[in-house]
Amino acid sequence: MDAMAEIRATFFEECAEQLADLEAGLLAIENGEADSDTVNAVFRAVHSIKGGAGAFSLDDLVHFAHVFETTLDEMRSGRLDSSEKVLKIMLRSADALADLVTVARDGGSADAERNAGLIDELKGLVALAKGEEPPAPKAAGASAPSDGPVYDDGMGDLDFTPVAVDLGDLMGIGGDNRFRIVFKPSPRMYAKANEANRVLRDVYTLGEAKVACNISEVPLLPAIDPEGAYLTFTIELSTAESEEKVREVFEFVEFDCDLTIEAVHDAPDGEIDADDPDIADILARIRATPDDEPLETPAKDEEEPKDAPEMREPEEPKATAAAPAARTPAPAPAAPAAAAKADAGGDGKGGAGGGAAQTIRVDLERVDRLIDLVGELVIHQVMLSQRAYQAGLARASDVAVGFDELEQLTREIQDSVMAIRAQPVKSVFQRLPRLVREVADISGKQVRLITEGEWTEVDKTVIERLADPLTHMIRNAIDHGLEKPADRLAAGKAEEGVVRVAAMHRSGRIVIEISDDGAGINRKRVKEIAIKKGLIPAEANLSDEEIDNLIFLPGFSTAEKISSLSGRGVGMDVVKRSIQALGGRVSIASKPGRGSTFTMSLPLTLAVLDGMIVSVGDQTVVVPLTAIIETLQPKASEVKSFGGDARLVQVRDTFMPLVDVARELGYSYELANATGGVAILVEAENGARSALLVDAIQGQRQVVIKSLEANYGRVPGIAAATILGDGRVALILDVDAVVATSRVEGNFFNSGMQHAAE
Amino acid sequence: MTTVSPPQNDNRNDPRSARELIAFCIGEQEFCVDIMSVREIRGWTTATPLPHAPSYVNGVINLRGAVLPIVDLAARLGFPRTVPTARSVIIVVRVEQQLFGLLVDAVSDILTITDDLLQPTPDLASDLAKTFVRGVMAIEGRMISLIATDNVLPPFQAAA
């Protein structure tokens, strides 16, 4: 059972990838960036989901995917234009498919009415492509055969049209029905990677069946067309199911075979030669083959012509054409070439359209272990060479050259290992278009989403936890940030609002900006609400920045009426908390009438950091190099006292706060003498500059970030720890936090923020 | 520096069966912890102090690449702080997924006891001490307190 659960988990993991590919592909088509590979990739994604779903008997999913796939096939074959209207339906279908996958995984129920409606629309497109009249949309409930098609595992190009079944007649029959089915597959059916064997097996699941195979048409070996079809099956079926059910079995192959199904009301005649040893053999094998295992048995005798057409038709030379077969457990020995290509297609799930990279799935723990070990290796390598030099090793000696090479090698190993965990944020960004579509629909606003920097790499754990706060902030940007189309027009803006999501590396962290071109924060109202809710005193005199930051306070919500989107009682304070739990920060910048920008900055955990090693008191501290602008030695004339203990330092024409690091970290309680130390100019995430006062600069080095959280917990003002060449632990300064806390003291507003953050 | 490898056969399921404890001294007093939670015992190395940490946290040291917080057990129990010397000992313990070190004066003994030897903590002990002392036992005329290591680290709101 466990093994099954694992396979299931893998299936859903793959589904997620396929859905991402699907959406990315559709969007590419929508933007006109598509080529034939894109369409194929989209098709393949849906097809793979269908195939997998079939194996788990997820009938609703299979059914929907099948209809969707059929429509996509029309597009693939060029019969259906990729017009805007078509793509809208496709995108919505992709969303519905994603929902069905979620339902299949987590339980719950899908929006059956919407799905049925979409199925109708998709079928309409197919009909349109074929130049037929689109069928009149049926009542939602009736149009979707609730049971869906029976087991299908990777059937390819199908022209699917709904089967008209007269339910009224069938309802009356019930009980023990007998049918005589004559099933003569055509070569086309095999060419589409369907297999008679499977269909027959499905018939067996319906009841008691006797199958007779007419092999009289099989020509002698020299005359055999390897891609031909020569067998006719006659099935005597005794079942409790209705004719409709029986037909469903043949649903996918109906147009690629000669099929007659007739109800037999008297006892079956003795036509079926079940005693025929060959038939018995086939039947035994059909029964013995487990559902999702490929038929390993090489084709023999009368099966040969049946299997041979599995090889793809010569007029489909592209590798992409093999993809539909990829998930099909094709009889490998019979078609080695096809199987090889199919494998290549199967691996293509990682990338939409071509460029199929080979990937493996590895347990994350193994990677982490490897990263830890390599980190150790680097530390020991550094320690070893330092000790060797201390012991008098000549810099020019062969050993020293060896050390240099070893160092390069270890660095390279480290880089490669780190790269294993790093993933582009694309996987999160891919989910955004759908979110934006949905939120835009509900809120009645027109929104264009622009994403930038989707290849920015960040650690996998960060990616996983990025999705929730990001989702919330985008919702917020659309619901609260953007104005209604009419208001936008009145303000002289384009009707369509723009939400921009950009990722980039900055200060050794990943920064994600979510900006909208809406109305900006209504500071007057924000302040009123904060006063009304008792979050700030009525007479508080706040800067614009401080007012903007009020929205992060717990208990603050600007929504006067709760909307179904943002007003779920989850405020920005929750977003802020979840980002902080990741060791990140969030800030806001807003311009009235021009929009707001939320910036969240998150650590690239496990990354290596370029740091400046400084002395603070008798401690060694690492300052991330990326935060540093310049260093200087302040002169006594440049340091000004500014009320109480606060000091400013003059750098050229500007004054900036001088932060005594030793004091902030609690290493010393007295103000350090500014002129004796070094001032490090840093820029915080919000662009504000400060000077950090330290005692001395020791040097610059790449350090491995070690988690303090793993064995201890978060330490204010400290981003992480590292181990220096001498084997001692040094702390890595969280520049922004140190600068921020230094400004806090005595300020009711910031201490309130501090309190809220804790 | 001694590395203690945990016994291969963990037969603690039987309440009557013996369990092993590592006894150590803080000043004149003797304490012990369950040997199963002890990963290793090592000598003192200077710790890097952590800002804004409680006074009973000495700081962090490098344990073969891992950052290991060191808790001054004496201070944690409400006694005067230990002044670490070269002879001080760090007992590395694991609680769930977290590793940390207990700074003690010296390791004195390995005891094998049965649970019925354990007496409840006397009421005389301070509340703080009672939080960490699971019980006391008399062994060869000495009084040894059994320390529960679960709550020794300072509590964090964001579960690390």
Side-chain angles (χ1 to χ4, degrees):
Chain A
M1 229 28 228
D2 269 346
M4 199 58 189
E6 219 169 274
I7 296 169
R8 227 177 122 89
T10 310
F11 163 66
F12 285 118
E13 239 172 76
E14 286 177 358
C15 269
E17 289 170 16
Q18 310 283 10
L19 287 168
D21 287 353
L22 168 64
E23 175 150 10
L26 286 175
L27 287 173
I29 298 171
E30 190 180 29
N31 296 337
E33 297 158 3
D35 49 22
S36 62
D37 277 355
T38 318
V39 182
N40 280 321
V42 165
F43 179 82
R44 205 158 56 220
V46 178
H47 182 80
S48 300
I49 291 173
K50 187 182 83 169
F56 292 101
S57 308
L58 304 169
D59 291 341
D60 284 353
L61 186 54
V62 171
H63 182 76
F64 189 85
H66 176 69
V67 176
F68 193 7
E69 180 188 16
T70 311
T71 315
L72 282 169
D73 189 40
E74 294 297 325
M75 187 186 266
R76 188 168 72 150
S77 59
R79 286 192 290 270
L80 187 64
D81 287 337
S82 45
S83 70
E84 195 182 329
K85 176 176 156 257
V86 169
L87 276 162
K88 273 236 152 71
I89 296 176
M90 296 244 173
L91 279 167
R92 273 168 45 221
S93 303
D95 294 348
L97 193 65
D99 285 346
L100 281 168
V101 169
T102 313
V103 166
R105 187 184 57 206
D106 306 332
S109 60
D111 187 344
E113 207 168 303
R114 180 192 65 173
N115 291 352
L118 277 170
I119 286 177
D120 278 342
E121 287 189 71
L122 287 170
K123 284 178 180 171
L125 291 178
V126 174
L128 203 69
K130 291 192 165 150
E132 296 164 12
E133 279 291 302
K138 289 169 254 175
S143 64
S146 53
D147 291 316
V150 193
Y151 182 23
D152 153 51
D153 191 350
M155 303 191 183
D157 322 351
L158 287 171
D159 294 337
F160 175 85
T161 338
V163 187
V165 177
D166 192 347
L167 287 166
D169 274 359
L170 288 165
M171 287 309 158
I173 299 177
D176 207 21
N177 300 328
R178 293 174 189 283
F179 299 101
R180 179 179 295 123
I181 305 161
V182 180
F183 170 46
K184 182 178 189 308
S186 76
R188 264 186 308 154
M189 188 190 101
Y190 294 121
K192 289 174 182 173
N194 285 317
E195 228 195 298
N197 212 345
R198 289 185 181 284
V199 177
L200 294 179
R201 214 181 300 144
D202 286 339
V203 174
Y204 272 109
T205 62
L206 293 177
E208 204 172 309
K210 286 181 184 169
V211 179
C213 180
N214 181 355
I215 57 171
S216 60
E217 286 180 49
V218 179
L220 289 174
L221 206 52
I224 277 184
D225 171 4
E227 301 196 347
Y230 303 101
L231 301 181
T232 308
F233 300 90
T234 310
I235 307 154
E236 294 286 342
L237 178 66
S238 168
T239 176
E241 303 289 351
S242 63
E243 183 174 339
E244 183 200 10
K245 276 278 185 192
V246 178
R247 282 200 181 269
E248 266 178 22
V249 171
F250 296 93
E251 199 173 13
F252 293 158
V253 295
E254 200 170 3
F255 300 102
D256 298 317
C257 65
D258 295 333
L259 181 69
T260 54
I261 299 179
E262 54 188 47
V264 183
H265 294 287
D266 48 357
D269 52 31
E271 197 187 295
I272 294 176
D273 193 2
D275 294 325
D276 183 319
D278 281 339
I279 303 296
D281 184 30
I282 292 174
L283 294 185
R285 274 166 47 201
I286 287 171
R287 287 189 175 122
T289 316
D291 269 9
D292 25 1
E293 252 178 49
L295 293 169
E296 297 282 286
T297 345
K300 67 168 217 180
D301 292 341
E302 69 276 11
E303 258 207 329
E304 189 167 4
K306 184 162 101 56
D307 277 346
E310 290 283 339
M311 285 190 272
R312 289 168 309 99
E313 290 173 14
E315 60 267 29
E316 284 185 296
K318 280 194 180 171
T320 46
R327 300 292 159 136
T328 313
K341 283 195 175 174
D343 276 350
D347 282 332
K349 61 182 186 288
Q358 292 260 349
T359 56
I360 54 164
R361 289 176 193 280
V362 183
D363 192 353
L364 208 53
E365 264 178 38
R366 289 194 193 183
V367 178
D368 286 351
R369 175 95 190 111
L370 188 62
I371 288 175
D372 274 358
L373 287 174
V374 172
E376 281 306 279
L377 183 67
V378 171
I379 289 164
H380 278 89
Q381 181 267 321
V382 172
M383 276 169 72
L384 186 63
S385 55
Q386 276 185 2
R387 292 204 177 147
Y389 290 126
Q390 279 165 13
L393 178 69
R395 291 269 166 188
S397 64
D398 285 351
V399 179
V401 172
F403 271 133
D404 283 349
E405 278 167 14
L406 183 63
E407 183 179 344
Q408 282 208 339
L409 199 62
T410 39
R411 292 279 181 221
E412 229 164 274
I413 294 174
Q414 192 173 34
D415 287 349
S416 322
V417 170
M418 292 294 184
I420 296 178
R421 269 197 73 118
Q423 287 192 328
V425 290
K426 192 167 188 286
S427 57
V428 177
F429 277 23
Q430 267 173 344
R431 304 182 210 163
L432 301 183
R434 170 176 186 186
L435 173 79
V436 170
R437 272 200 302 281
E438 287 181 350
V439 177
D441 273 356
I442 297 173
S443 62
K445 292 170 184 172
Q446 293 182 22
V447 187
R448 188 154 52 96
L449 175 75
I450 301 174
T451 53
E452 283 170 24
E454 57 183 16
W455 294 107
T456 310
E457 287 196 333
V458 65
D459 190 77
K460 188 171 160 54
T461 47
V462 175
I463 291 202
E464 283 160 2
R465 295 169 67 183
L466 200 62
D468 277 355
L470 192 59
T471 305
H472 197 85
M473 282 158 89
I474 288 179
R475 243 188 228 143
N476 224 59
I478 298 174
D479 198 30
H480 294 317
L482 295 179
E483 314 94 322
K484 294 243 184 272
D487 297 342
R488 289 185 65 88
L489 283 178
K493 295 186 203 176
E495 231 178 329
E496 188 180 53
V498 175
V499 172
R500 192 175 141 270
V501 182
M504 67 209 89
H505 281 138
R506 198 198 287 164
S507 303
R509 299 165 76 88
I510 180 167
V511 172
I512 297 180
E513 284 181 0
I514 298 106
S515 41
D516 60 70
D517 66 345
I521 287 182
N522 186 340
R523 297 204 171 105
K524 192 161 156 281
R525 211 174 100 222
V526 165
K527 198 173 165 188
E528 277 167 12
I529 291 173
I531 291 170
K532 206 169 78 190
K533 299 205 171 179
L535 299 169
I536 52 167
E539 68 281 5
N541 183 15
L542 302 181
S543 70
D544 285 354
E545 190 192 330
E546 282 170 335
I547 295 176
D548 290 350
N549 276 298
L550 286 174
I551 64 166
F552 291 118
L553 286 180
F556 185 92
S557 175
T558 49
E560 272 155 10
K561 53 176 195 284
I562 304 286
S563 78
S564 68
L565 292 173
S566 313
R568 288 186 187 152
V570 189
M572 288 304 283
D573 60 314
V574 177
V575 172
K576 182 166 178 158
R577 264 211 300 280
S578 64
I579 293 172
Q580 272 175 339
L582 268 175
R585 282 179 292 273
V586 58
S587 61
I588 178 172
S590 180
K591 283 186 187 147
R594 304 264 299 277
S596 315
T597 300
F598 287 85
T599 307
M600 60 176 164
S601 110
L602 297 159
L604 309 160
T605 51
L606 291 166
V608 193
L609 183 110
D610 279 310
M612 186 174 276
I613 318 287
V614 300
S615 306
V616 175
D618 52 359
Q619 297 298 323
T620 303
V621 172
V622 181
V623 184
L625 205 59
T626 38
I628 299 176
I629 302 163
E630 62 174 291
T631 59
L632 53 99
Q633 283 190 307
K635 298 188 192 75
S637 62
E638 291 167 349
V639 180
K640 319 278 183 200
S641 281
F642 189 70
D645 282 347
R647 285 180 292 182
L648 296 178
V649 61
Q650 184 181 6
V651 181
R652 291 175 285 275
D653 289 339
T654 53
F655 288 96
M656 52 190 75
L658 188 65
V659 180
D660 186 345
V661 176
R663 205 152 169 251
E664 287 307 323
L665 297 186
Y667 289 162
S668 132
Y669 295 100
E670 283 161 32
L671 274 183
N673 181 5
T675 47
V678 180
I680 302 173
L681 255 61
V682 292
E683 188 174 54
E685 239 107 55
N686 56 9
R689 294 187 176 191
S690 323
L692 300 180
L693 184 64
V694 300
D695 292 334
I697 293 175
Q698 293 179 13
Q700 207 170 296
R701 192 178 305 160
Q702 204 172 51
V703 296
V704 181
I705 297 176
K706 294 278 177 182
S707 160
L708 269 176
E709 277 100 337
N711 287 326
Y712 188 69
R714 237 160 64 82
V715 180
I718 299 300
T722 188
I723 291 163
L724 294 178
D726 63 1
R728 284 199 54 186
V729 177
L731 302 176
I732 301 173
L733 207 63
D734 184 343
V735 172
D736 282 16
V738 166
V739 170
T741 44
S742 76
R743 275 195 274 172
V744 165
E745 278 127 48
N747 183 330
F748 77 91
F749 169 73
N750 278 317
S751 50
M753 295 283 288
Q754 276 299 105
H755 189 69
E758 279 162 16
Chain B
M1 205 188 292
T2 336
T3 302
V4 181
S5 52
Q8 290 298 307
N9 297 319
D10 179 11
N11 49 4
R12 284 184 303 167
N13 292 339
D14 179 0
R16 297 288 311 162
S17 75
R19 65 157 138 174
E20 288 189 291
L21 304 169
I22 286 190
F24 51 87
C25 310
I26 297 176
E28 298 295 303
Q29 300 187 52
E30 264 193 285
F31 297 88
C32 59
V33 290
D34 194 320
I35 206 167
M36 296 306 291
S37 66
V38 177
R39 294 293 107 168
E40 66 180 273
I41 294 170
R42 49 173 299 147
W44 168 255
T45 46
T46 313
T48 304
L50 292 172
H52 312 292
S55 61
Y56 53 82
V57 176
N58 289 68
V60 286
I61 64 163
N62 167 21
L63 180 74
R64 288 185 305 280
V67 176
L68 186 79
I70 305 298
V71 172
D72 180 346
L73 192 58
R76 187 62 167 136
L77 294 173
F79 307 147
R81 296 188 59 169
T82 309
V83 180
T85 67
R87 281 192 303 278
S88 297
V89 171
I90 291 169
I91 301 176
V92 181
V93 295
R94 175 185 286 270
V95 173
E96 285 164 17
Q97 291 306 305
Q98 290 192 312
L99 276 182
F100 58 91
L102 296 175
L103 172 65
V104 302
D105 288 335
V107 169
S108 54
D109 209 348
I110 294 180
L111 307 167
T112 307
I113 63 144
T114 51
D115 276 353
D116 50 356
L117 280 176
L118 200 62
Q119 306 164 18
T121 316
D123 272 347
L124 286 173
S126 71
D127 280 351
L128 194 58
K130 268 204 267 183
T131 314
F132 304 108
V133 176
R134 189 167 286 162
V136 296
M137 63 198 88
I139 306 237
E140 297 160 9
R142 301 178 289 170
M143 187 196 81
I144 301 178
S145 312
L146 177 63
I147 299 283
T149 46
D150 312 29
N151 301 316
V152 168
L153 275 185
F156 287 96
Q157 293 208 323

